[in-house]
Amino acid sequence: MTTFIHTADWQLGKPFAGIRDAAKRTLVQQERIEALRRIRETVVTRQASFVVVAGDLFDSPTPTKTVVAHALGVIGEIPVPVYAIPGNHDHGGHGGLWEQPFFVSERRTRAPNLHVLLERASVERDDAVILPCPLLQRQTTTDPTTWIRQLDLAACGDRPRIVLAHGSTGTFGSQADGEDAAGPANVLAIDSLPLDDIDYLALGDWHGFRQAGPKAWYSGTHETDRFPKAGQRPGHVACVTVSRGGMPVVEPIATGRLAWVETALDLGDDAASRVEETLAAATREAGFDRCLVDLALGGRVSLAARRELDRVVESWSHRLLRLDVRNEVTLVPSADEIRELVDRADDPILSRVAQALVHQIEAGAAEADDAREAVNILHGLCQQEEATE
Amino acid sequence: MKLRSVTVRNYRIHKELTVAFDETLTVIGGPNEAGKTTIVEAVHRALFLRSRASGAVLESMRSAFHPGHPTVELTFESGGGTYTVTKQFTGTNSAPTTLAVAGGQTLRNDEAEAALRELVQAEAIGGRNSEDKLRMQWAHLWVWQGVAGADPLDRDAMQEPLERLRGRLGSLDEGGVVESQIDAAVGRIVAETHAARTRDTGTPRVDSPLGKADAALAEARTRVATARAAIGQLEAAIESIERADTIIAQCETSLAARRTEQEENERRLGEAQAFEVRQAEQQAAATAAAARLAAMTDADRQIRDCETRITAIEGRRTPTAERLAAAIAAEHDATTRCATAQQAARERQQEQANVGELAELHRQAEHLEQRRSERAGLAGRCGRIADLRQEAAALQKRLADLQAVTADDLADLATYERSRDAAQAKLDAIATRVELVAADSTVRLGGGALAVGRSETIVTDTPLEVSGARLVITPGGGTSVAEATQLRDAAAAALESRLRELAVADIDEARRVQPLRQTLQSAVDAKRAAITDLGDTTADADLAALDAEIAELAETLRGQTRPDFSQPTSLEAASAARKAITERLRGLAQAVATTAAEQQAAEQLLIEARARREQTADEIRAIDGELRDAQVRRDVLVEEHGDQRHEAIAAATLDQATAAAQLAATQAALQRLQPDLLRKTATRLQRAIEKLLTDGRTAVAERTIALDRLRNEGTLDPRDDLAQALAAERVAEAAQRQAAREARAYALLAQLFAEKKAEIEAQFVAPLVDRVAGYVRCLFGADATVSIGYAGDMFTTLELSRPEFGGAAMPFRRLSGGAREQLAAAFRMAMAEILAQDHGGCLPIVFDDAFVNADPSRLVGIQAMLDRAADQGLQVIVLSCNHRDYDGLGAATVELRKTVFARGTEESGTTAPAAENSGADAAVG
């Protein structure tokens, strides 16, 4: 019986360019490295013999030295060997990270327990044999697991055999997250592998914890890095116990702390209060300073409600680590607002202009949006003028 | 308000005149200067000019004909009352003004004026510039002469009534919509914001929110492009490395294949080269065998040729040998005959020589005798020469004794003599001759005695002494006598000098000596010629030589011992003997010639026989030489090739065939190996290998360069940078969309504000437009329209549209003069209609010659227009010189007549009042 930790898709140094505030961006980036410390704790508590990382340690084949230095510092704190393969993000191609002198030197001195497996050759341990399938180019048309099919696995004896690979299994694989286009599909034909001779397939690329076959699991990313798809469970590592010929025992263990929340609201004139309440509820558990929210707003709001809504949204945008607002709210002046603008016997021009705009909005012409904006402006100007009178 | 009547007194031409006005339409006619304008001016001044007004305005009212202050009395209706205002313009502060209300009180002066102001709703005019100010009062209702075509919107002339009109339009029920303060303020903000943000062309200004958003978006896109380019460079480097790796791998694979090919090719090439060496050897052997066989065959043929030739030569030799024997015999015979002939010739020649010697002796003997004869002649000649020499010497002696005067000398002397004689003659001609003819005593001339009968010539002052008397004779001629004397003396001296040179006494002696000398010289010359002819120089020598020859000949003959020779004693004997022997010699010479010819013929025959023999012998030798050569060659060939040569030829033929067969086999094997192709292949493979090596090296170099490019500096992740740039671009796009939406919203608002403002402005002027249109249609038909611009609280434009002009709006100032007058009238009447509402629904409107540019057809429309005005409640008063033009109007007509005044005389009938009723003329005069 061998117990080890299966993790993947750390994607350290991910830009999170969608976060406009540089300080918040740094916080989110730093959280991915902090999460490695929780992996270390898991290793200790579960008495794991080693850690396998199924690709994409880094978000890019050219991470900054700061990211590399921070990452290797924390990896070096893990008290067991860490076996990692390059994935499509940090592929082992030319000019990539793994051959940069800085990385080589830092790894040797600060994280000697990190073994980056750049060759398709088995790694022999007393308690297991690791069969790495590194991605050596940005894109491979050949299945990186092919070499295992030609291998005489009998030589491994009774040690459990662990395949370490990064790619799509056809059903699951990396997906675009809005900031990062999905990389080229590296398809793993895991069904073609001699599954009887293999005891566990530690897979990377799919960011949620997921079983991909009888003995195949995606661990998902250790810290959520995007708004997850429905049912996806990012922010975990897999604690795996294997033995030769037996079925693996796989347990997801949470390591992520950030909450990525997606919410959609259909709003009326109580828009501001609803948004306030919804966001407060959604961020209560993780804390607003650890939440990233995608807010899809729809519905129809009056001019005044819109102004109030804008105020609340602005407040939350500064509180949260990230707030993406997909604002599809339709601005519809209320009957009172329209009256306020149109029923002006003493201001014949203003009244007629407002009537024309209302007419355009009601006609739903192509210019309706511009007319709504114009009404909003006109409303503001009237209030401003009346206030000065 | 309606005018009822006016009475003027002492007002310009009018002493006193009353004109009554119809309630609706009045036409005041009359010729020029009949005072039509004066009437309506008087009405206007009664309404607006203070009675105390003075200065120019007062002066203009005063009459030149009628004393007394100008006075106007105007009766009018207003607000249901009838008023009569009377103003006497005295030019003083106490000028009286009264306003009498019918059936009521009469107000005076200031009270009257104040009440009048209430009624006309206009100020009273007085003080400076009153005339100008007056014209501004009710300017819309009083169309003064000459201003009918002026723009009714002219602010200078019409400010007050237009202002009043604007106020009135605002309060009309039918219009009355005006911009509010908030309208204006919001509209201004919108317009200013829009203008500040957007250019006239519709593009955003650089510093506007949209302009900034556009710029930010462009910058964000540039940043994305830069970030993409940075990644592109990295990816290009990676691609370079991958490409290089592929090339290196391909090169290595290909290189291994090529090297294997090269080894195989080299093995086969070695094989081919071995075959080639063998082929060369076999080729040499085959060539040698063939050469041997050819040599043998050739020798055999040569031997056979030699033998054939020997036989032929031997055939030719036999007849030649026979010819040689015959030639030898002929030569022998000729030799014998030649010897005989030679002997005979020798004998004759000996005889000839002997006789020849004898003949020589006889010739010498004869010669001796001849010389002896010649010597006797020569001795006589020598004696003759000696005689001649003696004669010549004597003559020469005589010649030497004479003076040496030549013919030339004689000629010289004659010349000198002629000179002297000429000088003398000249002297004689000028000198004085003194001749003593007879004398008793001695007469002395010049110291010398003068003989009787003798004459003397004197050339100088010469004393003549006769018997104690002493006379001095002075010759004439002056100095020329002395000069002539001098010339004569010089010529005489020259002659004397020449005579002395020739050693003669005078010229006559010279003339005698010279011929004698000539004769002697001729005789000498003749003697010398004769001596020369006799051989003076050689004669003696010749004689000596002849003597010597004679002695020698005699000696020779004395020594002769031939028996057959005897010396002759005379010349004749010697000659006869010499002739005889010469004859004998001639006969012997003939005999010698005959024998010599015979000998020569025999010798010729011998030469010919010898030549034939030698030629034949040469032929035999040549044939023998040929034969010998042929035999030697045959012998040598036979010796060289032996007796067994036919067997050797057979063996050599076999050898040659064997060698050729071996060579062919080797060649076939070599051909199968295609050595040329193998060599080309070797070159090709070498070239390919070198190219692969070069390609490999190039790829390695490119890979190194690309790897260097990939060396990460590590402070910036280009992919991170791109992600940030893309996010910034998305933000910029959203901001730009919002800014654009806002800009469009402002544009929309600005446009709507402008539209709506124009709309209410149009609505504001609509009552005025409708009324003007009503009048205009009387003139230009039912489809004519009018538009009046109104903006910023002001009437801006007045335009007329007519169907016949295509409906285009014509601005007032671009209309013709007539149309301007008519449109202006329409506008004034419409204006009066609206303003009449403040005056009980009626106002008077005066047209003073206001339609002078109208043609007759347009006059019809004008009358319809005026009638419409009357219908609308206006009181229309028209002044015209041609009041008949307005017959169709059906108006009350007042006709004024022109009156002629004589200064200081009283007018007559000036007070005749006008008919009280409409339709009646007011005759003045």
Side-chain angles (χ1 to χ4, degrees):
Chain A
M1 299 281 277
T2 304
T3 297
F4 65 96
I5 299 298
H6 164 202
T7 179
D9 300 294
W10 292 351
Q11 294 195 209
L12 304 176
K14 183 163 179 164
F16 295 107
I19 303 171
R20 294 188 211 168
D21 185 293
K24 290 180 185 175
R25 200 158 57 226
T26 307
L27 280 174
V28 176
Q29 287 171 333
Q30 194 57 34
E31 196 59 40
R32 301 191 76 68
I33 289 174
E34 280 301 310
L36 298 184
R37 294 208 160 93
R38 295 191 281 280
I39 295 176
R40 182 195 63 193
E41 287 161 19
T42 309
V43 166
V44 172
T45 54
R46 297 305 176 107
Q47 296 183 319
S49 305
F50 55 91
V51 177
V52 293
V53 189
D56 286 354
L57 269 74
F58 293 96
D59 187 61
S60 136
T62 51
T64 64
K65 287 177 178 173
T66 305
V67 169
V68 170
H70 284 197
L72 291 179
V74 181
I75 292 170
E77 292 169 11
I78 297 173
V80 295
V82 176
Y83 299 99
I85 56 167
N88 57 325
H89 274 263
D90 56 358
H91 61 82
H94 297 292
L97 164 71
W98 315 113
E99 47 184 55
Q100 295 291 337
F102 183 76
F103 173 82
V104 172
S105 154
E106 286 286 296
R107 190 205 67 79
R108 193 175 60 244
T109 55
R110 301 182 59 221
N113 58 327
L114 173 63
H115 305 279
V116 181
L117 308 178
L118 296 171
E119 289 179 13
R120 288 164 184 169
S122 58
V123 176
E124 308 279 340
R125 283 178 57 87
D126 291 343
D127 53 356
V129 175
I130 299 168
L131 304 167
C133 305
L135 288 180
L136 297 177
Q137 286 182 316
R138 288 170 302 165
Q139 187 173 10
T140 56
T141 49
T142 54
D143 178 1
T145 64
T146 306
W147 74 280
I148 295 170
R149 286 181 237 159
Q150 284 127 29
L151 202 65
D152 178 15
L153 290 168
C156 301
D158 57 358
R159 290 174 293 177
R161 297 95 187 247
I162 302 162
V163 173
L164 189 55
H166 186 92
S168 162
T169 57
T171 316
F172 306 107
S174 60
Q175 79 277 6
D177 67 355
E179 296 175 357
D180 170 31
N186 294 300
V187 179
L188 307 172
I190 55 173
D191 294 339
S192 304
L193 290 170
L195 291 177
D196 290 343
D197 296 330
I198 291 169
D199 299 303
Y200 184 72
L201 280 86
L203 304 179
D205 200 26
W206 175 253
H207 280 219
F209 178 85
R210 181 120 202 171
Q211 186 170 6
K215 297 176 182 175
W217 268 263
Y218 283 102
S219 66
T221 179
H222 68 311
E223 176 62 87
T224 311
D225 64 343
R226 66 191 65 174
F227 296 107
K229 288 189 169 183
Q232 203 181 28
R233 295 169 69 195
H236 292 76
V237 295
C239 179
V240 184
T241 303
V242 286
S243 57
R244 173 75 275 270
M247 289 302 285
V249 178
V250 183
E251 181 191 353
I253 297 169
T255 48
R257 282 203 307 201
L258 299 181
W260 293 66
V261 181
E262 279 184 298
T263 302
L265 290 173
D266 190 38
L267 299 174
D269 282 346
D270 57 350
S273 58
R274 280 194 62 206
V275 167
E276 177 68 43
E277 287 161 15
T278 305
L279 289 180
T283 60
R284 192 165 293 128
E285 187 183 340
F288 63 82
D289 57 345
R290 283 194 182 144
C291 285
L292 300 91
V293 178
D294 178 85
L295 191 59
L297 300 179
R300 298 156 71 87
V301 298
S302 68
L303 304 180
R306 168 64 185 268
R307 274 194 279 278
E308 188 58 16
L309 173 64
D310 288 348
R311 188 190 61 73
V312 169
V313 167
E314 191 194 359
S315 168
W316 276 99
S317 74
H318 293 296
R319 272 184 268 175
L320 297 171
L321 279 175
R322 169 174 173 177
L323 176 62
D324 290 0
V325 181
R326 282 177 284 139
N327 197 341
E328 302 291 330
V329 171
T330 307
L331 189 64
V332 181
S334 68
D336 285 345
E337 285 165 343
I338 289 173
R339 250 195 315 281
E340 203 180 319
L341 288 171
V342 171
D343 292 355
R344 287 174 173 266
D346 294 341
D347 306 319
I349 297 178
L350 226 159
S351 164
R352 289 176 195 211
V353 169
Q355 280 174 40
L357 291 172
V358 169
H359 191 71
Q360 277 189 18
I361 293 168
E362 285 170 354
E367 297 81 16
D369 269 353
D370 295 348
R372 281 191 194 92
E373 186 69 33
V375 165
N376 198 19
I377 291 168
L378 191 61
H379 192 255
L381 289 174
C382 285
Q383 287 192 336
Q384 180 187 317
E385 272 308 303
E386 279 159 359
T388 56
E389 270 190 355
Chain B
M1 180 179 177
K2 271 184 191 164
L3 305 178
R4 294 295 299 276
S5 68
V6 66
T7 300
V8 297
R9 295 186 191 90
N10 306 325
Y11 200 113
R12 298 214 186 102
I13 65 165
H14 300 301
K15 169 75 174 168
E16 180 167 344
L17 176 65
T18 298
V19 173
F21 299 102
D22 184 74
E23 280 197 19
T24 55
L25 291 159
T26 304
V27 174
I28 300 175
N32 291 333
E33 299 181 342
K36 300 186 295 293
T37 301
T38 304
I39 293 297
V40 292
E41 184 194 279
V43 173
H44 191 263
R45 295 205 171 158
L47 289 173
F48 300 109
L49 183 66
R50 291 184 192 280
S51 57
R52 59 173 179 262
S54 60
V57 67
L58 175 59
E59 291 309 313
S60 75
M61 291 156 67
R62 287 189 198 279
S63 175
F65 314 104
H66 314 297
H69 299 300
T71 305
V72 184
E73 187 180 306
L74 173 69
T75 302
F76 61 90
E77 291 175 11
S78 181
T82 301
Y83 304 85
T84 299
V85 61
T86 307
K87 291 189 178 176
Q88 188 175 29
F89 298 98
T90 63
T92 63
N93 283 337
S94 59
T97 297
T98 61
L99 180 68
V101 185
Q105 59 176 349
T106 296
L107 301 173
R108 295 185 186 281
N109 298 334
D110 287 348
E111 281 181 2
E113 193 67 58
L116 185 59
R117 298 281 69 76
E118 289 286 318
L119 292 168
V120 299
Q121 298 173 15
E123 290 188 7
I125 303 299
R128 290 175 182 279
N129 300 325
S130 299
E131 282 186 303
D132 290 343
K133 290 178 192 165
L134 274 173
R135 291 180 83 85
M136 304 291 281
Q137 301 302 86
W138 280 17
H140 58 303
L141 301 175
W142 244 259
V143 185
W144 302 98
Q145 247 180 4
V147 302
D151 188 350
L153 298 183
D154 178 41
R155 251 166 263 144
D156 291 340
M158 299 281 282
Q159 186 178 5
E160 195 276 332
L162 286 174
E163 196 59 37
R164 192 178 285 274
L165 175 67
R166 210 171 63 80
R168 193 71 195 111
L169 282 171
S171 64
L172 283 181
D173 292 341
E174 48 192 309
V177 183
V178 290
E179 187 184 43
S180 71
Q181 270 189 340
I182 289 184
D183 278 341
V186 173
R188 191 170 55 249
I189 292 170
V190 166
E192 285 172 0
T193 307
H194 176 60
R197 293 182 176 192
T198 310
R199 293 197 187 88
D200 293 342
T201 55
T203 54
R205 293 189 188 279
V206 175
D207 57 351
S208 69
L210 180 55
K212 288 175 184 169
D214 282 343
L217 180 56
E219 194 183 324
R221 284 183 174 151
T222 305
R223 191 181 156 197
V224 168
T226 308
R228 278 197 212 284
I231 291 178
Q233 281 178 351
L234 286 183
E235 289 177 349
I238 291 169
E239 274 172 16
S240 290
I241 291 169
E242 288 171 1
R243 203 166 46 241
D245 282 348
T246 307
I247 291 170
I248 290 166
Q250 284 168 350
C251 283
E252 281 170 0
T253 309
S254 183
L255 203 55
R258 299 294 87 75
R259 284 200 163 125
T260 308
E261 280 178 44
Q262 194 182 37
E263 279 169 19
E264 172 61 14
N265 194 62
E266 275 171 8
R267 187 189 63 71
R268 295 182 68 192
L269 195 56
E271 205 176 314
Q273 279 166 344
F275 271 115
E276 279 171 345
V277 169
R278 194 184 304 163
Q279 178 184 245
E281 289 167 0
Q282 287 173 345
Q283 181 71 60
T287 306
R292 270 199 310 280
L293 177 58
M296 284 178 184
T297 311
D298 190 47
D300 183 51
R301 185 185 50 75
Q302 284 180 34
I303 290 167
R304 283 201 304 277
D305 286 352
C306 283
E307 284 172 346
T308 307
R309 199 160 157 232
I310 287 166
T311 307
I313 292 167
E314 283 171 349
R316 273 192 287 128
R317 192 180 186 283
T318 306
T320 308
E322 285 170 359
R323 276 196 290 119
L324 179 61
I328 291 169
E331 185 189 9
H332 188 262
D333 187 39
T335 304
T336 307
R337 283 187 209 157
C338 186
T340 305
Q342 283 170 340
Q343 183 59 39
R346 265 192 308 272
E347 284 169 4
R348 282 292 175 274
Q349 283 167 352
Q350 280 170 1
E351 187 182 357
Q352 187 185 31
N354 188 39
V355 175
E357 281 175 10
L358 188 59
E360 178 61 24
L361 288 174
H362 281 293
R363 192 194 59 85
Q364 286 177 345
E366 185 187 29
H367 188 60
L368 179 59
E369 287 308 316
Q370 281 173 339
R371 284 288 182 253
R372 279 173 178 158
S373 174
E374 283 170 14
R375 193 197 176 277
L378 186 55
R381 194 159 42 102
C382 284
R384 177 100 180 99
I385 287 168
D387 292 344
L388 286 172
R389 277 181 184 156
Q390 277 178 345
E391 287 165 12
L395 287 171
Q396 189 66 42
K397 175 84 173 64
R398 282 179 65 195
L399 191 56
D401 290 340
L402 289 172
Q403 292 95 323
V405 179
T406 64
D408 291 340
D409 294 335
L410 202 54
D412 272 353
L413 289 175
T415 303
Y416 284 119
E417 188 182 36
R418 275 191 306 274
S419 295
R420 185 204 59 193
D421 290 347
Q424 186 62 52
K426 195 173 178 186
L427 184 59
D428 288 346
I430 59 174
T432 301
R433 196 164 63 95
V434 180
E435 187 177 4
L436 188 59
V437 179
D440 298 343
S441 60
T442 304
V443 178
R444 298 183 66 91
L445 184 66
L450 189 61
V452 178
R454 179 147 168 221
S455 66
E456 285 286 337
T457 301
I458 56 172
V459 292
T460 56
D461 295 348
T462 308
L464 182 64
E465 293 170 48
V466 181
S467 305
R470 183 179 172 93
L471 305 168
V472 174
I473 301 168
T474 300
T479 55
S480 60
V481 175
E483 284 170 6
T485 306
Q486 202 172 358
L487 285 172
R488 191 230 29 218
D489 291 348
L495 181 61
E496 284 303 314
S497 168
R498 193 75 184 108
L499 289 172
R500 269 194 306 275
E501 278 172 18
L502 294 172
V504 287
D506 53 29
I507 195 163
D508 291 336
E509 189 182 1
R511 282 184 182 127
R512 190 176 41 80
V513 168
Q514 195 268 333
L516 185 58
R517 275 190 70 94
Q518 213 165 4
T519 306
L520 284 174
Q521 187 63 50
S522 298
V524 169
D525 290 346
K527 294 293 177 195
R528 282 178 183 163
I531 290 167
T532 303
D533 289 346
L534 289 172
D536 171 40
T537 52
T538 59
D540 291 342
D542 288 349
L543 189 59
L546 205 51
D547 284 343
E549 191 183 356
I550 290 169
E552 190 185 346
L553 286 169
E555 182 63 34
T556 304
L557 290 174
R558 258 190 314 275
Q560 190 52 251
T561 58
R562 277 188 69 118
D564 54 352
F565 177 72
S566 60
Q567 188 164 354
T569 55
S570 68
L571 181 57
E572 290 80 14
S575 294
R578 186 200 44 90
K579 283 179 183 167
I581 200 78
T582 301
E583 195 61 31
R584 192 180 160 200
L585 261 178
R586 198 173 291 127
L588 274 174
Q590 275 186 333
V592 166
T594 303
T595 53
E598 286 170 358
Q599 181 196 346
Q600 201 173 356
E603 282 171 354
Q604 184 61 36
L605 285 174
L606 176 58
I607 287 164
E608 288 171 0
R610 189 175 291 149
R612 270 195 300 279
R613 189 263 302 159
E614 283 175 357
Q615 188 187 351
T616 311
D618 286 345
E619 285 176 22
I620 283 290
R621 272 195 298 278
I623 289 168
D624 287 349
E626 223 180 313
L627 184 60
R628 208 162 40 250
D629 285 350
Q631 285 167 342
V632 167
R633 180 160 176 73
R634 181 199 57 198
D635 293 348
V636 167
L637 286 169
V638 169
E639 177 74 18
E640 190 180 336
H641 296 287
D643 296 339
Q644 304 299 314
R645 65 179 187 273
H646 294 295
E647 292 78 353
I649 286 170
T653 305
L654 192 59
D655 284 351
Q656 193 256 350
T658 307
Q662 285 171 344
L663 179 60
T666 304
Q667 279 171 337
L670 196 54
Q671 204 169 7
R672 276 193 300 278
L673 282 170
Q674 294 180 283
D676 287 348
L677 184 61
L678 290 174
R679 285 195 183 86
K680 280 192 195 316
T681 304
T683 308
R684 172 173 62 79
L685 287 172
Q686 188 57 36
R687 194 172 62 230
I689 285 166
E690 280 165 12
K691 183 171 185 309
L692 286 168
L693 288 170
T694 306
D695 289 352
R697 279 194 295 274
T698 307
V700 167
E702 281 172 4
R703 188 180 191 281
T704 307
I705 291 166
L707 273 174
D708 193 54
R709 281 213 299 274
L710 285 175
R711 200 77 65 211
N712 187 6
E713 202 261 323
T715 52
L716 183 78
D717 181 353
R719 289 167 180 85
D720 182 307
D721 193 43
L722 175 61
Q724 305 291 353
L726 286 168
E729 185 187 35
R730 281 194 295 276
V731 170
E733 279 170 348
Q736 196 271 350
R737 273 197 302 276
Q738 177 53 31
R741 188 184 300 122
E742 200 175 293
R744 287 196 304 274
Y746 266 106
L748 178 60
L749 281 173
Q751 179 204 334
L752 285 175
F753 264 93
E755 278 176 15
K756 299 305 171 192
K757 193 172 177 199
E759 205 173 284
I760 66 161
E761 282 168 355
Q763 193 178 342
F764 179 75
V765 295
L768 180 63
V769 169
D770 290 346
R771 285 170 174 78
V772 177
Y775 292 110
V776 161
R777 284 176 190 139
C778 295
L779 291 161
F780 303 114
D783 294 326
T785 59
V786 168
S787 64
I788 296 169
Y790 181 78
D793 299 341
M794 283 194 293
F795 298 98
T796 53
T797 54
L798 173 60
E799 292 176 330
L800 174 65
S801 305
R802 293 169 61 189
E804 57 263 50
F805 293 160
M810 291 281 278
F812 179 81
R813 61 186 157 72
R814 290 183 55 194
L815 295 170
S816 70
R820 275 208 301 272
E821 288 172 357
Q822 292 143 25
L823 180 58
F827 186 86
R828 288 166 184 275
M829 289 188 288
M831 215 175 149
E833 260 189 58
I834 292 167
L835 293 176
Q837 292 173 18
D838 294 336
H839 295 273
C842 181
L843 276 173
I845 182 160
V846 177
F847 295 100
D848 184 358
D849 270 342
F851 304 107
V852 293
N853 291 308
D855 59 31
S857 66
R858 191 62 61 75
L859 273 172
V860 176
I862 289 169
Q863 291 177 51
M865 182 169 74
L866 296 173
D867 189 51
R868 179 183 169 86
D871 277 353
Q872 299 300 319
L874 297 180
Q875 183 186 25
V876 179
I877 300 167
V878 179
L879 282 63
S880 174
C881 309
N882 306 308
H883 66 271
R884 294 290 166 209
D885 288 349
Y886 297 91
D887 282 353
L889 191 57
T893 304
V894 178
E895 188 175 359
L896 302 184
R897 294 202 187 90
K898 189 173 174 183
T899 306
V900 178
F901 296 96
R903 186 171 284 277
T905 60
E906 286 292 313
E907 76 287 349
S908 61
T910 56
T911 58
E916 289 289 328
N917 225 333
S918 64
D921 288 351
V924 181

